[in-house]
Amino acid sequence: MFLDVTKETKMNVIEKTIDLGDGRIITIETGKLAKQADGSVTVRMGSTVLLATVCAAKDAVPGTDFMPLQVDYKEKFAAFGRFPGGFTRREGKASDYEVLTSRLVDRVLRPLFPDDYHAEVFVNIILFSADGEDMPDALAGLAASAALAVSDIPFGGPISEVRVARVDGQFIINPTFTQLEKADIDIMVGATYDNIMMVEGEMSEVQESEMLEAIKVAHEAIKKHCLVQKELEAACGKTVKREYCHEENDEDLRKKVHDDLYAKAYAISVSGQGKQERAEAFEKIVEEFKAQYTEEELETKGALIDRYYHDVEKEAMRRAILDEGKRLDGRKTTDIRSIWIETDCLAGPHGAAIFTRGETQSLTTVTLGTKNDEKIVDDVLNQGRDRFLLHYNFPPFSTGEARPQRGVGRREVGHGNLAHRALKRMIPNDYPYVVRVVSDILESNGSSSMATVCAGTLALRDAGVPLKKPVSGIAMGLISENKGTNYAILSDILGDEDHLGDMDFKVTGTKDGITATQMDIKVDGLSYEILEKALAQAKEGRMHILGKITDAQPEARAELKPHAPRIETLIIGKEFIGAVIGPGGKIIQGIQEKSGATISIEEVDNQGIVEVSATNKESIDAAMRAIKAIVAVPEVGEVYEGKISSIMPYGAFVEFMQGKDGLLHISEIDWKRLETVEETGLREGDSITVKLVDIDPKTGKFKLSRKVLMPKPEGYKEAERPARPPRQNNNGGRRDNGGRPHRENHRGGNQ
């Protein structure tokens, strides 16, 4: 229902549409909601609705020499008709999914703001409605860019982001959740009309050419999004952006810094020193330069000198690579740093490994758990359980910084997610354990996430996890000039090469193909030719590192470590689940207490899946026996070890299976004739071996025998029955029972 009040509220609603070509339409609308923001748009596709706003400070904070951009993506639980969890029942801190989506948008937007623009910019993207099928994260980049387009904030866009998936050999733009489940390629691509800016995703061991094809398909879709945003920008009259002045420059000082320090910086760039020594040498140069100025002069010139010297360092490093092919640590462009590996290095974890490449080091541990250790996912659109977890930690000491560690940040979430994607498809589908991988970065000088992938492979194999194939990863860099006409692709980049370079391109995979990728481009004009060469060079590097991994650890550990939990799985009928659990969990708790094992049950496809875990086989066997006894179906002819539950004049009742009693008639106790059960010496509570000889088809009662398990005495003869007297003719009348009382039915059964 819509009541038109545009005249009263003076709304100027502008709307543009994008046709995806498969019946779906994306609508971008501005002028209706959040009009006090610098830019605001509503992006709608079907029932999925996103609101994106952008606000920028009027001026920069004094002393700021970077781009203070903050991107926040938030999903409202009401968007999908759900209540948030927790005591307060309101949205709390950002979930990992929201953090990852925020990072996807941030990485495309950040490089496109002017280098000299330092005002604080806040981009907020809110999911207000969803249908559970369309994936809103694929629309977040488009929404953020459109909000910037309808504002006066300086920005080098527009951009857009799309997810491209390959399902049954066909590429799909912005697939649904259902379609994505069957995809062997799942990547998110961010780009301007002219250039690819960001790629992130996972794959099922695809070839480099297939990945490149997916990127091209995504870019063609993005071009349409960019053209529509240009139309929207013109319609809103926002083609001219605000003026700003966030940098005061001293060109004479800039020239002096360059002239005096470039040669010195260049000499250090080609010296091949280690990270710490090189950093100290670079710092010494600028400190010596500053010494010629007084403290009063440095109050105004110090920050400028630091900024200009940073540009000198960047130029020196880039020229050394482009002109001489010399990198900061002395390597050639294709060289991989030295690698050393240690596995089985810690006694406590179920698996552990140290992977060191140059000055980057990861100590990674693996813990094996049971179903009770699964991670519960309760996001707005994603609910379920994760059985494979990977956590990445980046403590300050890894880079020699003296500062406190303040918990898990966006960087840790993003790097951990990349490594998780790289490894998760290599875990066997039917692996019974919940697996947690934790990578602690002990040293960092470039591509610590890729060290996590390599160390993760080693630690998983050390834990005895039968990975389908080992995985390695490498980070590629790029130094380019003149729109990519002159460039150098760098294998296994350093931290400084990432910071001062034009590309950070991470690729992971097995010997048979790529499993995950993450690419950030910081320069315009990156051609598909360069991407293709970078992928080919990355493959060579991956294979080299993979060789080091397999040399150090040819196979996964054949047996779990002694203290690792053992898990056995039992499938039972759906109807037995309640019997195993018992009223209020009494039965299953009793089995766990007696055996020392941990038991979990869930219903899957109308079957009960029982997992029994313990650190020793005796506990598992005891629990399995108890469960099998509950769910077992008695079979005629089988021999059972039972316990006498009660003694009767005509025999004994024996519990031969848990919850199942049968009658051991006095005539079936022994071959000799017995007058009373007491003659045998049997007592209530005694253990006894019996054979199930019959099940009454009508009543389901069980008939047991012990004598059939005993040797028949020599010369034994069955007692002869007395001859039956001739039947009297009562002219059709019924036979009198002669006053004999009716015989009670005491045949075996569940008494």
Side-chain angles (χ1 to χ4, degrees):
M1 182 179 179
F2 177 70
L3 179 63
D4 189 359
V5 292
T6 54
K7 291 183 179 179
E8 288 79 357
T9 57
K10 297 180 179 180
M11 287 196 298
N12 180 26
V13 180
I14 299 171
E15 186 178 285
K16 298 291 179 180
T17 60
I18 302 169
D19 191 344
L20 294 182
D22 57 3
R24 293 179 297 170
I25 302 293
I26 298 174
T27 303
I28 307 174
E29 181 185 80
T30 187
K32 184 185 293 184
L33 304 179
K35 296 189 296 297
Q36 295 187 44
D38 289 326
S40 169
V41 299
T42 303
V43 174
R44 185 186 304 268
M45 184 171 71
S47 299
T48 300
V49 180
L50 294 168
L51 173 68
T53 64
V54 58
C55 292
K58 298 303 180 184
D59 209 346
V61 175
T64 305
D65 62 354
F66 62 96
M67 180 61 225
L69 171 67
Q70 179 75 31
V71 178
D72 285 307
Y73 171 82
K74 192 68 179 177
E75 295 185 339
K76 299 292 186 180
F77 275 82
F80 199 47
R82 298 184 63 223
F83 273 78
F87 183 77
T88 62
R89 296 295 183 188
R90 69 180 297 165
E91 287 82 1
K93 72 172 186 177
S95 67
D96 284 0
Y97 179 77
E98 290 169 325
V99 169
L100 293 169
T101 304
S102 299
R103 279 174 52 85
L104 286 174
V105 178
D106 184 296
R107 286 158 47 201
V108 186
L109 298 183
R110 188 175 295 274
L112 294 173
F113 286 94
D115 292 338
D116 59 350
Y117 186 72
H118 305 312
E120 290 185 301
V121 178
F122 294 88
V123 177
N124 287 277
I125 310 154
I126 306 171
L127 175 69
F128 276 115
S129 177
D131 59 7
E133 275 298 308
D134 291 319
M135 304 183 70
D137 60 346
L139 301 173
L142 169 63
S145 177
L148 283 164
V150 301
S151 76
D152 65 346
I153 300 170
F155 179 64
I159 63 96
S160 189
E161 292 178 350
V162 300
R163 172 178 274 106
V164 58
R166 189 173 69 177
V167 180
D168 299 329
Q170 300 296 316
F171 288 108
I172 302 173
I173 296 296
N174 291 353
T176 63
F177 282 103
T178 303
Q179 290 171 325
L180 197 62
E181 291 175 357
K182 301 178 288 185
D184 63 348
I185 294 179
D186 169 20
I187 60 173
M188 190 81 83
V189 179
T192 64
Y193 185 90
D194 297 313
N195 299 302
I196 301 295
M197 302 298 299
M198 184 278 301
V199 179
E200 179 159 333
E202 60 186 86
M203 288 144 276
S204 297
E205 297 181 280
V206 305
Q207 299 306 303
E208 284 73 9
S209 58
E210 296 173 290
M211 176 181 155
L212 200 59
E213 185 182 0
I215 294 173
K216 290 178 179 178
V217 170
H219 197 190
E220 289 303 313
I222 287 172
K223 288 179 180 179
K224 299 176 183 177
H225 297 192
C226 292
L227 291 175
V228 170
Q229 290 181 73
K230 282 290 190 183
E231 294 174 6
L232 181 67
E233 183 180 56
C236 294
K238 297 293 184 178
T239 55
V240 178
K241 305 300 182 181
R242 69 177 66 169
E243 295 183 356
Y244 64 93
C245 182
H246 297 163
E247 288 186 359
E248 293 183 1
N249 290 294
D250 185 335
E251 295 303 325
D252 292 335
L253 181 61
R254 186 199 301 268
K255 185 176 184 304
K256 182 175 177 58
V257 170
H258 185 276
D259 292 346
D260 291 1
L261 305 185
Y262 178 79
K264 296 177 181 179
Y266 188 90
I268 295 172
S269 297
V270 297
S271 65
Q273 298 181 63
K275 177 183 176 182
Q276 296 294 344
E277 295 83 359
R278 187 171 60 249
E280 290 173 3
F282 277 131
E283 187 177 352
K284 185 179 179 182
I285 291 174
V286 73
E287 290 303 320
E288 289 177 349
F289 180 85
K290 287 181 178 179
Q292 63 184 289
Y293 297 98
T294 64
E295 291 186 6
E296 290 78 10
E297 289 175 319
L298 289 176
E299 287 182 3
T300 57
K301 295 184 177 183
L304 292 176
I305 293 171
D306 289 337
R307 186 180 352 133
Y308 298 153
Y309 179 63
H310 176 271
D311 295 338
V312 169
E313 275 189 29
K314 181 175 182 179
E315 183 185 353
M317 185 275 286
R318 295 169 69 90
R319 292 262 51 96
I321 293 173
L322 291 173
D323 298 342
E324 297 188 49
K326 291 185 177 181
R327 300 169 66 175
L328 290 172
D329 58 355
R331 286 181 292 150
K332 297 178 181 177
T333 57
T334 57
D335 287 348
I336 310 298
R337 289 173 288 176
S338 61
I339 294 172
W340 71 263
I341 291 168
E342 184 179 350
T343 61
D344 195 18
C345 51
L346 297 172
H350 300 149
I354 300 171
F355 179 87
T356 304
R357 184 179 57 235
E359 297 170 298
T360 297
Q361 183 178 76
S362 168
L363 191 159
T364 295
T365 58
V366 169
T367 309
L368 303 178
T370 67
K371 179 175 172 53
N372 296 333
D373 298 307
E374 292 176 338
K375 176 186 175 183
I376 299 173
V377 180
D378 188 26
D379 297 335
V380 175
L381 299 178
N382 301 306
Q383 298 97 47
R385 296 174 179 266
D386 280 347
R387 295 182 62 87
F388 177 60
L389 314 177
L390 193 149
H391 296 144
Y392 167 99
N393 298 315
F394 192 82
F397 66 76
S398 66
T399 55
E401 294 182 75
R403 61 176 178 84
Q405 190 167 358
R406 300 296 188 190
V408 179
R410 293 190 173 194
R411 186 182 192 277
E412 283 84 354
V413 174
H415 281 51
N417 180 65
L418 175 60
H420 178 272
R421 288 177 140 181
L423 293 167
K424 73 176 185 180
R425 297 187 185 224
M426 293 300 110
I427 305 292
N429 298 331
D430 58 349
Y431 195 58
Y433 293 90
V434 175
V435 181
R436 181 178 184 238
V437 180
V438 179
S439 171
D440 288 289
I441 304 302
L442 306 186
E443 292 184 54
S444 179
N445 187 15
S447 74
S448 58
S449 62
M450 297 297 93
T452 296
V453 172
C454 299
T457 292
L458 291 159
L460 286 164
R461 284 156 68 96
D462 181 57
V465 179
L467 292 179
K468 298 175 184 177
K469 297 168 190 175
V471 183
S472 65
I474 190 170
M476 308 297 295
L478 175 72
I479 305 296
S480 68
E481 63 181 5
N482 300 326
K483 297 286 185 183
T485 56
N486 184 27
Y487 65 90
I489 298 170
L490 311 179
S491 295
D492 183 25
I493 59 174
L494 304 172
D496 285 342
E497 291 172 337
D498 178 9
H499 173 61
L500 301 174
D502 300 326
M503 178 178 75
D504 181 11
F505 191 4
K506 301 181 179 75
V507 186
T508 74
T510 68
K511 62 181 178 64
D512 294 321
I514 300 171
T515 59
T517 188
Q518 185 183 91
M519 179 176 68
D520 292 307
I521 308 298
K522 309 169 191 176
V523 64
D524 291 342
L526 184 64
S527 66
Y528 286 107
E529 177 189 359
I530 296 177
L531 278 179
E532 189 173 3
K533 289 183 178 179
L535 282 167
Q537 193 168 315
K539 184 176 182 179
E540 293 177 6
R542 283 195 297 109
M543 294 301 104
H544 171 80
I545 298 168
L546 194 60
K548 296 290 186 181
I549 289 174
T550 53
D551 287 346
Q553 191 183 54
E555 298 290 341
R557 182 184 293 273
E559 297 288 336
L560 301 179
K561 293 186 178 181
H563 61 292
R566 270 63 178 172
I567 296 180
E568 290 191 16
T569 303
L570 179 67
I571 299 176
I572 64 175
K574 177 183 176 181
E575 65 276 13
F576 291 115
I577 295 176
V580 173
I581 296 174
K586 183 179 179 181
I587 300 297
I588 194 170
Q589 290 171 9
I591 297 173
Q592 291 182 125
E593 185 176 347
K594 289 179 182 177
S595 66
T598 300
I599 305 170
S600 63
I601 306 176
E602 67 173 336
E603 184 183 332
V604 180
D605 298 331
N606 289 321
Q607 288 183 317
I609 309 298
V610 184
E611 280 190 359
V612 182
S613 64
T615 56
N616 61 86
K617 194 170 187 311
E618 291 77 17
S619 295
I620 292 177
D621 289 344
M624 292 291 276
R625 283 195 300 270
I627 295 169
K628 287 179 179 178
I630 297 173
V631 304
V633 178
E635 295 184 24
V636 174
E638 287 294 313
V639 177
Y640 299 94
E641 198 64 36
K643 182 178 288 186
I644 298 175
S645 55
S646 62
I647 301 289
M648 307 296 286
Y650 46 84
F653 285 96
V654 179
E655 186 179 17
F656 64 98
M657 294 175 66
Q658 186 165 333
K660 295 179 174 60
D661 291 284
L663 175 64
L664 177 62
H665 195 269
I666 192 169
S667 62
E668 296 293 335
I669 297 177
D670 205 314
W671 287 106
K672 65 181 182 182
R673 182 177 176 87
L674 301 171
E675 295 298 330
T676 64
V677 177
E678 286 74 12
E679 295 178 38
T680 64
L682 295 174
R683 298 290 183 267
E684 190 173 314
D686 288 353
S687 295
I688 186 171
T689 304
V690 293
K691 183 176 183 179
L692 179 61
V693 294
D694 190 29
I695 302 176
D696 191 295
K698 293 183 179 180
T699 64
K701 295 179 178 179
F702 306 112
K703 181 179 180 181
L704 307 174
S705 176
R706 186 178 79 156
K707 74 179 185 181
V708 297
L709 302 176
M710 306 166 65
K712 186 182 290 188
E714 189 175 348
Y716 177 84
K717 292 183 179 180
E718 296 282 352
E720 295 184 1
R721 290 185 177 184
R724 178 181 291 180
R727 180 178 293 182
Q728 298 179 359
N729 188 351
N730 286 338
N731 295 323
R734 295 188 64 180
R735 179 177 66 180
D736 190 355
N737 64 9
R740 185 175 60 186
H742 291 287
R743 183 176 63 186
E744 294 184 11
N745 185 0
H746 291 301
R747 287 180 294 175
N750 300 313
Q751 302 287 324

